[in-house]
Amino acid sequence: MHAKTSVGLSPDFTEDKLWLNGKEVSVHQPRVAVCLSELRKLAQQKKSGGEIVQWRMHICSENNFPTAAGLASSAAGYSCLVFTIAHALGLDSSQVSHIARQGSGSACRSMFGGFVRWRALPSELEGKQSGESEELRRKQSEASNAEQVISEAYWGSMRVIILVVNDQAKSTSSTDGMQRTTLTSTLYTHRVHNVVPERCERMETALKEKDFATFAQLTMRDSNQFHACCLDTYPPIVYMNDTSHAVVRFVHDFNTMAGDTKVR
Amino acid sequence: MHAKTSVGLSPDFTEDKLWLNGKEVSVHQPRVAVCLSELRKLAQQKKSGGEIVQWRMHICSENNFPTAAGLASSAAGYSCLVFTIAHALGLDSSQVSHIARQGSGSACRSMFGGFVRWRALPSELEGKQSGESEELRRKQSEASNAEQVISEAYWGSMRVIILVVNDQAKSTSSTDGMQRTTLTSTLYTHRVHNVVPERCERMETALKEKDFATFAQLTMRDSNQFHACCLDTYPPIVYMNDTSHAVVRFVHDFNTMAGDTKVR
């Protein structure tokens, strides 16, 4: 599974163009447009890239993730797009994760390898919906930045296995779902304020210490609690199916048999 | 679906006997034994029933609920058993719901028709597991009593439809499940203290005012939140399956189409 972006810039191009999986799509859709304009603005501020910042670009984006199936396909696509264009414009890719976030909320997390921590918004910016104003959206994006906790090389024996139990598009998109959860779930607010901050600290420690048992149990419990908040949303959002739950039971049975947390 | 209990008392019987669905089972299993001894003790205190309190009894209990399938089969069985024996011993059945509770936690709720409110334990008794000591168990049972909110005649047009999506026994029993949830779910404590009390008041008002839209939405949201806490338990407990969720989606689609909350 991968996302690939190629970008060409030329003084001869008359307009920006974008091809997604071989099919031309509009560069004027808001999420793409804001990424391009923010990247050019930043390159001008930093005086990087020289005259090519003025040139039009042709972007070719390829992505073989199943779309909207819970595998962060748009995060992969936008982070790859922003990373590639940043390089082309001579920008440091570690400084543009807040721009990727404007393409897809979780794209900022996908800008780095290994394990990445995505900082929560400070309280004065939280609870407001993105898009209320461009100014607010920009402030939220800059504040909600991501940083690498450990690199992919640090814990080289770590493997992630993806079992596809359903590759159809989710009936509720991540963005719509999170907004409905924020508005209607009485458990979600408790989770955000009273559970997640402490778990993040424990997770960061577990990663740095390569403590697999703690890492695995935190991952399982936090995944369950996320899905619990989806179910507490009104109307409820259900991303797991009978097969997903059968896999979960198998993992617990396997760990019980092994007498140890062998798998997540 | 029904539970039926017949009881015969005679000075000629030499021992208590119990038949469950035609098969003789021990009256010495702890949950049955405690119900019988508590009922006899109460009858002696109240001086009801006269000499028959000393007589041995033969109990015949029939129950055509699917067992352990989420339909409160043991609550139905124990409430019927306690109700019947209370009558035989000349006791007022409204005063014995705390005894039924010792047979099955939720049996106290099944002692009455219509809609019943089951009061939470006062804080000094809560959080302790039943069965730690007989004394504590008795105190918990007496404190956690049930009372009828409205009778079955008050809202005569109300119908409950049961769709059986799986009549196999649950993989986790209600009692074990609730104990594991209490111990491991960080969302459950929040639910108990910050969500349920206010919802109970609104539900009682909705029932008295026959406000179906409020009744239905509270029922849906509270059911979802209960299942969310099951999922937040470690290891997770999952009572709903894909068919259950398909029914939930159908109900929301139906209500959306009708432009009103027609069904729960």
Side-chain angles (χ1 to χ4, degrees):
Chain A
M1 244 170 16
H2 64 261
K4 272 189 196 173
T5 303
S6 318
V7 60
L9 296 109
S10 163
D12 298 333
F13 291 161
T14 54
E15 55 179 341
D16 291 331
K17 277 174 178 281
L18 170 64
W19 288 263
L20 186 58
N21 290 333
K23 201 181 143 193
E24 188 172 352
V25 295
S26 169
V27 289
H28 300 298
Q29 47 174 300
R31 291 177 171 207
V32 173
V34 73
C35 287
L36 295 190
S37 70
E38 290 287 323
L39 284 163
R40 282 182 168 129
K41 208 185 295 173
L42 190 66
Q44 278 173 327
Q45 279 168 14
K46 304 261 181 196
K47 303 193 190 309
S48 72
E51 61 172 350
I52 71 164
V53 174
Q54 309 301 330
W55 298 354
R56 299 297 93 193
M57 57 180 94
H58 286 186
I59 308 156
C60 178
S61 171
E62 283 176 26
N63 189 329
N64 68 351
F65 282 55
T67 302
L71 290 168
S73 60
S74 64
Y78 278 103
S79 60
C80 186
L81 181 113
V82 168
F83 183 93
T84 308
I85 298 173
H87 268 271
L89 297 180
L91 288 165
D92 179 349
S93 60
S94 72
Q95 292 170 357
V96 295
S97 77
H98 67 281
I99 296 178
R101 187 178 183 275
Q102 300 196 47
S104 169
S106 51
C108 60
R109 208 171 40 186
S110 305
M111 295 291 289
F112 311 93
F115 285 84
V116 174
R117 182 158 179 181
W118 183 10
R119 295 274 167 191
L121 285 174
S123 56
E124 68 272 18
L125 292 176
E126 94 183 356
K128 304 197 180 84
Q129 298 304 321
S130 278
E132 275 183 9
S133 78
E134 202 180 322
E135 174 67 9
L136 175 65
R137 192 182 166 112
R138 197 185 50 74
K139 274 194 190 160
Q140 285 182 331
S141 290
E142 284 181 12
S144 174
N145 231 322
E147 62 202 41
Q148 191 181 60
V149 175
I150 61 167
S151 77
E152 61 276 28
Y154 182 82
W155 198 344
S157 59
M158 179 69 87
R159 292 290 177 275
V160 176
I161 302 174
I162 296 171
L163 305 180
V164 179
V165 297
N166 182 349
D167 65 358
Q168 299 299 297
K170 290 173 294 190
S171 54
T172 310
S173 80
S174 301
T175 306
D176 291 353
M178 278 315 296
Q179 290 187 358
R180 212 161 82 207
T181 301
T182 308
L183 290 173
T184 64
S185 168
T186 49
L187 299 180
Y188 178 73
T189 316
H190 178 73
R191 162 172 164 75
V192 168
H193 293 287
N194 302 100
V195 183
V196 170
E198 185 255 352
R199 281 189 179 169
C200 282
E201 297 308 319
R202 284 166 60 208
M203 181 55 103
E204 202 166 319
T205 306
L207 286 168
K208 286 174 177 163
E209 294 176 353
K210 299 187 190 175
D211 171 0
F212 187 75
T214 302
F215 164 82
Q217 197 184 112
L218 278 171
T219 304
M220 290 188 270
R221 294 180 84 139
D222 209 63
S223 169
N224 292 337
Q225 191 169 90
F226 163 76
H227 289 286
C229 289
C230 293
L231 188 53
D232 187 48
T233 300
Y234 187 82
I237 301 167
V238 178
Y239 292 131
M240 294 176 82
N241 65 18
D242 286 352
T243 311
S244 322
H245 291 299
V247 172
V248 167
R249 277 194 305 277
F250 171 79
V251 167
H252 284 288
D253 289 347
F254 184 88
N255 287 339
T256 301
M257 189 193 72
D260 193 9
T261 305
K262 293 280 189 186
V263 287
R264 169 212 183 297
Chain B
M1 243 168 20
H2 64 261
K4 272 189 195 172
T5 304
S6 318
V7 60
L9 296 110
S10 162
D12 298 333
F13 291 160
T14 54
E15 55 179 343
D16 292 331
K17 277 174 177 283
L18 170 64
W19 288 263
L20 186 59
N21 290 333
K23 201 183 144 192
E24 188 172 352
V25 296
S26 169
V27 289
H28 300 298
Q29 47 174 299
R31 291 178 171 207
V32 173
V34 73
C35 288
L36 295 190
S37 70
E38 290 286 324
L39 284 163
R40 282 181 168 130
K41 208 185 295 173
L42 190 65
Q44 279 173 327
Q45 279 169 14
K46 304 262 181 195
K47 303 193 191 309
S48 72
E51 61 173 350
I52 70 165
V53 174
Q54 309 301 329
W55 298 354
R56 299 296 93 192
M57 57 179 95
H58 286 187
I59 309 156
C60 178
S61 172
E62 283 176 24
N63 189 328
N64 69 352
F65 282 54
T67 302
L71 289 168
S73 59
S74 63
Y78 278 103
S79 60
C80 186
L81 181 114
V82 168
F83 183 92
T84 308
I85 298 174
H87 267 271
L89 298 180
L91 288 165
D92 179 349
S93 61
S94 73
Q95 292 170 357
V96 295
S97 76
H98 67 280
I99 296 178
R101 187 179 183 275
Q102 300 196 45
S104 169
S106 51
C108 60
R109 208 172 40 186
S110 305
M111 296 290 289
F112 311 92
F115 285 84
V116 174
R117 182 158 179 181
W118 182 11
R119 294 274 167 191
L121 285 174
S123 56
E124 68 271 20
L125 293 177
E126 95 184 356
K128 305 197 180 84
Q129 298 305 320
S130 278
E132 275 183 8
S133 78
E134 201 180 322
E135 173 67 10
L136 175 64
R137 192 183 166 112
R138 196 185 50 74
K139 274 194 190 160
Q140 285 182 330
S141 290
E142 284 181 12
S144 174
N145 231 321
E147 63 202 40
Q148 191 182 61
V149 175
I150 61 167
S151 77
E152 61 275 28
Y154 182 82
W155 198 345
S157 59
M158 179 70 87
R159 292 290 177 275
V160 176
I161 303 173
I162 296 171
L163 305 179
V164 179
V165 297
N166 182 348
D167 65 357
Q168 299 300 297
K170 290 173 294 191
S171 54
T172 310
S173 80
S174 301
T175 306
D176 291 353
M178 278 315 296
Q179 290 187 359
R180 213 161 82 206
T181 300
T182 308
L183 290 173
T184 64
S185 168
T186 49
L187 299 180
Y188 178 72
T189 317
H190 178 73
R191 161 171 166 74
V192 168
H193 293 288
N194 301 100
V195 183
V196 170
E198 185 255 353
R199 281 189 180 170
C200 282
E201 297 308 319
R202 283 167 60 208
M203 181 55 103
E204 203 166 318
T205 305
L207 286 169
K208 286 174 177 163
E209 294 177 353
K210 299 186 190 175
D211 171 359
F212 188 75
T214 302
F215 164 83
Q217 196 184 113
L218 278 172
T219 304
M220 290 188 271
R221 294 181 84 139
D222 209 62
S223 169
N224 292 337
Q225 191 169 89
F226 163 76
H227 289 287
C229 289
C230 293
L231 187 54
D232 187 48
T233 300
Y234 187 82
I237 300 167
V238 178
Y239 292 130
M240 295 177 82
N241 65 19
D242 286 352
T243 311
S244 321
H245 291 299
V247 172
V248 167
R249 277 195 305 277
F250 171 78
V251 167
H252 284 289
D253 289 347
F254 184 88
N255 287 338
T256 301
M257 189 193 72
D260 192 9
T261 305
K262 294 280 189 186
V263 287
R264 169 213 183 299

